[in-house]
Amino acid sequence: MLTLASKLKRDDGVRGPRASNPPSDSTRRVSVRDKLLVKEVAELEANLPCTCKVNFPDPNKLHYFQLTVIPDEGYYQGGKFQFEIEVPDAYNMVPPKVKCLTRIWHPNITETGEICLSLLREHSIDGTGWAPTRTLKDVVWGLNSLFTDLLNFDDPLNIEAAEHHLRDKSGQDNFPSFSETVARSSLWHQHRQPARRTFGIKLKTTLSAMQDDEGRWMAGPWLPHDSCP
């Protein structure tokens, strides 16, 4: 992070007050974005939720990073979900672009990675969308809350997942259940933290019931598709 901050300071010194070739609008916009990001990334790292980790593949490119969320409660507890976050040149006038890279059965995230989160909307009539006063910290906390407080079955992006949960609540015969489908469709049980033995037995029994006598997965919504990102 300091590498980029030092580079920006050095570039400012090189340009100096008598620079003969003023930067273009696009160059100026990128410079504004990068200066904002130096400050926002420091704030983010100082206030990161305990269930989140961030990774910058290139410390000189703060506009692109990956977020890993490992929920510690709810349907997705112990799962490991990765997001890709790219900050466009026009930031902070426009929101970051976010995609979920982990296959997931979630009412507000499609199986191809699109996300429904109000603060990521560029235009919103209810005042909950993106605004220049928002920061990367707000984005990360919002994504983290999609697994807890902001998990919304009433206004879904993935309608099938929301209807699946509704059938569970209504007491209909629903196999596999919503939570069982979450476990299978995202393959999170392969990466989850050590669980209590009773849950392990239950999950093993459930997964066995999804296979035929030869150990092949039977057709159903828990099967991963070839287009899994």
Side-chain angles (χ1 to χ4, degrees), residues 2-213:
L2 296 177
T3 304
L4 179 57
S6 301
K7 179 180 182 299
L8 291 171
K9 183 178 292 187
R10 184 175 66 252
D11 290 348
D12 284 343
V14 170
R15 283 195 295 269
R18 298 182 180 179
S20 57
N21 296 319
S24 64
D25 289 343
S26 60
T27 302
R28 187 181 300 112
R29 187 65 249 178
V30 170
S31 179
V32 170
R33 177 200 66 184
D34 289 347
K35 288 179 179 178
L36 283 171
L37 291 181
V38 169
K39 178 181 178 181
E40 290 190 14
V41 167
E43 179 190 27
L44 170 62
E45 292 183 328
N47 297 276
L48 199 63
C50 62
T51 52
C52 294
K53 297 179 181 179
V54 292
N55 173 51
F56 292 86
D58 185 342
N60 284 317
K61 296 180 179 178
L62 300 186
H63 61 276
Y64 177 80
F65 65 98
Q66 295 170 340
L67 168 71
T68 302
V69 180
I70 306 175
D72 57 5
E73 61 179 303
Y75 292 111
Y76 304 92
Q77 181 178 0
K80 191 175 183 180
F81 305 96
Q82 191 171 59
F83 296 84
E84 177 183 71
I85 301 176
E86 185 172 0
V87 183
D89 295 349
Y91 185 82
N92 60 358
M93 300 306 295
V94 299
K97 299 176 181 178
V98 183
K99 183 175 182 179
C100 183
L101 302 179
T102 306
R103 181 63 173 268
I104 186 173
W105 190 239
H106 192 293
N108 312 121
I109 304 174
T110 68
E111 292 181 277
T112 54
E114 289 79 19
I115 298 167
C116 181
L117 182 62
S118 58
L119 66 83
L120 294 177
R121 294 174 185 165
E122 188 170 350
H123 304 289
S124 177
I125 60 175
D126 59 4
T128 61
W130 182 257
T133 54
R134 296 191 184 277
T135 66
L136 289 182
K137 183 182 74 172
D138 299 320
V139 173
V140 168
W141 279 82
L143 293 171
N144 183 62
S145 295
L146 280 177
F147 299 96
T148 52
D149 301 345
L150 296 182
L151 181 61
N152 187 353
F153 292 97
D154 297 324
D155 184 21
L157 183 60
N158 184 340
I159 297 176
E160 290 184 35
E163 291 178 342
H164 191 178
H165 179 262
L166 181 62
R167 289 195 299 273
D168 271 7
K169 290 184 63 177
S170 64
Q172 296 181 36
D173 186 13
N174 201 31
F175 181 83
S177 68
F178 178 82
S179 58
E180 290 164 346
T181 306
V182 164
R184 179 58 193 148
S185 67
S186 66
L187 303 179
W188 68 277
H189 61 279
Q190 294 183 3
H191 307 285
R192 72 186 311 276
Q193 304 301 316
R196 289 179 305 206
R197 180 172 176 78
T198 53
F199 180 83
I201 294 173
K202 180 180 179 181
L203 179 59
K204 183 177 180 180
T205 302
T206 299
L207 295 178
S208 298
M210 295 178 186
Q211 296 174 299
D212 60 20
D213 293 337

Side-chain angles (χ1 to χ4, degrees), residues 103 111-112 223-229:
R103 181 63 173 268
E111 292 181 277
T112 54
L223 275 178
H225 304 295
D226 293 336
S227 58
C228 182

